[in-house]
Amino acid sequence: MEQSTLTRRGLGFRGVNSKLVAPGYLLYAHLTSPGTVFLVSNDGVEVHRWNLPYRPGRHARILPNGNLAYNGVHPEAPALFPMWQKYRGGVMLQVDPAGKVISEYRDPLAHHDQRHLDDGTLLYTTLEPLTSEQACTVQGGIPSSEAPNGIIYADVIKMVDPTRPEAPLWTWRAIDHLDPAIFSLHPQFAREHWPLINSVHLLRDGNILASLRSVSAVVIISRATGDIIWHLDSTVVAQQHCASELEDGSILIFDNGTFRHHESSTYSRVIQVDRATKSIVWEYRDRSFPNAFFSPFMGGAQRLPNGNTLVTEAVFGRMFEVTSTGEMVFEYVNPHLADYAKLEAPELQQIGFDFPSNAVFRAYKVAPEDVPWVSLPN
């Protein structure tokens, strides 16, 4: 009998409603691959793949020029603490459809979201070590769980022109602008990294939307002052990911659900939050059994032009599309299983990631007109 639970439950193409699904292609990077990005049609056929020189440092997306923006793991980044090896990135590539590298920017302390903006600039998260005095102000977390030598690393957000890396366009430091009393670490999180920003998004008004996982907060940062001008707290979200702005100004969030307030039963959901009232105006949960949809970490949500939403149930490599009424119209589960044994990442096996995984940090749906170079199989 098949011993892999993921395989038994079903991999690959699971189904599609051709009348309701958004046109386009599913784009995803397999996290335990050497550096493979797949483009899959709505009927589950792989139409293109890239084999890149670095294992994925989270995700990839298609740029307006048709090239692939890819975040790879920096081969020479320092080993800051064990879990750092899981979510670090550091190599921000732009490659053409054939895989030729067009541009490359590196930051060995970059992690999670390394967003390639349409104008060629980069908006991304990176780290800095706090001084001992600064570290003492960080509240919460597991006692005595700092990184080696008692260090706490704090987030920094940067916007850079990759052609002029010596002159960042904008820099924001968490320690300068977050009140540690308000943004305290959850009691079950290590004190090695605060506040663990896992997504950054440039708003239409020029300000920055950010998701802070280990303090369960989504915030808007003023580009002019660095101040927090909007804050959605842990009474609404729980270890969330992938906050983005929709056309009406509301915020779409993948809400993971770990340590959710006043609930002992864990489940994930996707929520749309009105910015003015902070109320949930749309929500997706699994219709038949909410607990069946759950990603304890990672995850993504993308609102599509036809009103559907692409959801990434990241830990299980499951990517699916739902309508505004919650009807599932497409489902695909990454069929590729691999571990980190061949990826020169033994430290990940030592901390528990020693099993075959099909995990995907965040997937995107790509419109056909964005990839005119795609040749469909006969």
Side-chain angles (χ1 to χ4, degrees):
M1 181 176 177
E2 174 59 56
Q3 295 303 299
S4 168
T5 302
L6 290 173
T7 300
R8 283 200 314 275
R9 289 177 175 174
L11 300 173
F13 179 61
R14 310 302 295 160
V16 65
N17 182 328
S18 300
K19 294 181 179 179
L20 296 179
V21 71
Y25 304 94
L26 179 70
L27 177 76
Y28 72 93
H30 178 199
L31 287 182
T32 53
S33 73
T36 310
V37 179
F38 298 93
L39 197 62
V40 176
S41 69
N42 276 339
D43 55 2
V45 176
E46 180 187 319
V47 298
H48 195 76
R49 75 165 63 181
W50 291 262
N51 294 305
L52 299 165
Y54 312 101
R55 68 177 172 92
R58 305 292 88 179
H59 61 101
R61 64 179 285 260
I62 296 293
L63 297 173
N65 61 10
N67 288 338
L68 181 79
Y70 177 74
N71 301 319
V73 170
H74 196 296
E76 300 167 356
L80 304 181
F81 45 87
M83 190 56 73
W84 166 251
Q85 307 302 333
K86 182 72 170 67
Y87 55 68
R88 66 187 178 90
V91 181
M92 295 159 244
L93 298 177
Q94 183 179 158
V95 299
D96 69 12
K100 178 183 177 182
V101 176
I102 305 301
S103 64
E104 179 174 327
Y105 176 84
R106 292 190 175 200
D107 180 339
L109 297 182
H111 66 90
H112 281 95
D113 210 359
Q114 297 147 69
R115 189 172 290 268
H116 304 244
L117 303 179
D118 292 348
D119 65 357
T121 59
L122 296 167
L123 176 68
Y124 70 95
T125 52
T126 186
L127 285 181
E128 65 177 0
L130 297 181
T131 66
S132 57
E133 293 79 10
Q134 291 170 330
C136 287
T137 68
V138 175
Q139 300 185 21
I142 302 168
S144 303
S145 61
E146 289 82 1
N149 300 315
I151 295 174
I152 294 178
Y153 291 90
D155 285 306
V156 177
I157 302 174
K158 288 186 177 182
M159 183 179 289
V160 300
D161 177 347
T163 65
R164 299 183 60 213
E166 72 284 355
L169 303 174
W170 183 75
T171 300
W172 180 90
R173 291 180 168 83
I175 194 62
D176 293 337
H177 297 285
L178 293 184
D179 183 342
I182 296 174
F183 296 92
S184 61
L185 288 164
H186 188 279
Q188 300 301 321
F189 271 87
R191 289 174 53 79
E192 59 201 10
H193 183 176
W194 172 82
L196 211 164
I197 298 177
N198 57 34
S199 75
V200 285
H201 179 94
L202 180 64
L203 298 172
R204 287 192 295 275
D205 64 9
N207 293 319
I208 304 296
L209 177 70
S211 167
L212 288 56
R213 180 178 185 236
S214 60
V215 302
S216 288
V218 177
V219 300
I220 294 177
I221 302 165
S222 166
R223 281 267 301 283
T225 66
D227 294 339
I228 303 300
I229 56 176
W230 188 84
H231 176 199
L232 190 69
D233 66 18
S234 61
T235 62
V236 180
V237 290
Q239 275 73 71
Q240 74 298 316
H241 285 72
C242 195
S244 64
E245 180 185 31
L246 301 182
E247 287 298 321
D248 64 359
S250 59
I251 307 299
L252 189 70
I253 302 166
F254 186 96
D255 185 31
N256 293 75
T258 308
F259 306 124
R260 184 176 282 123
H261 275 218
H262 309 301
E263 294 191 55
S264 61
S265 180
T266 49
Y267 61 89
S268 293
R269 61 182 182 168
V270 176
I271 57 175
Q272 180 178 340
V273 178
D274 179 87
R275 203 185 304 188
T277 64
K278 299 184 181 178
S279 60
I280 296 172
V281 296
W282 181 84
E283 179 180 55
Y284 170 79
R285 304 186 195 185
D286 189 280
R287 278 180 163 185
S288 58
F289 181 40
N291 304 86
F293 166 41
F294 178 58
S295 186
F297 47 90
M298 305 187 294
Q302 178 194 11
R303 181 60 48 82
L304 303 174
N306 71 344
N308 290 354
T309 302
L310 179 71
V311 182
T312 309
E313 188 180 11
V315 167
F316 301 106
R318 178 173 172 247
M319 296 154 280
F320 59 93
E321 187 177 323
V322 297
T323 66
S324 60
T325 60
E327 180 179 351
M328 188 165 301
V329 296
F330 172 82
E331 184 179 29
Y332 185 85
V333 182
N334 179 17
H336 307 282
L337 290 163
D339 59 27
Y340 288 103
K342 298 179 180 180
L343 300 182
E344 298 181 356
E347 64 282 350
L348 291 178
Q349 295 179 284
Q350 295 166 9
I351 61 172
F353 296 98
D354 56 351
F355 49 86
S357 169
N358 64 344
V360 174
F361 178 70
R362 183 194 305 163
Y364 289 97
K365 188 74 173 281
V366 181
E369 58 268 24
D370 292 334
V371 284
W373 44 263
V374 166
S375 298
L376 296 176
N378 295 325

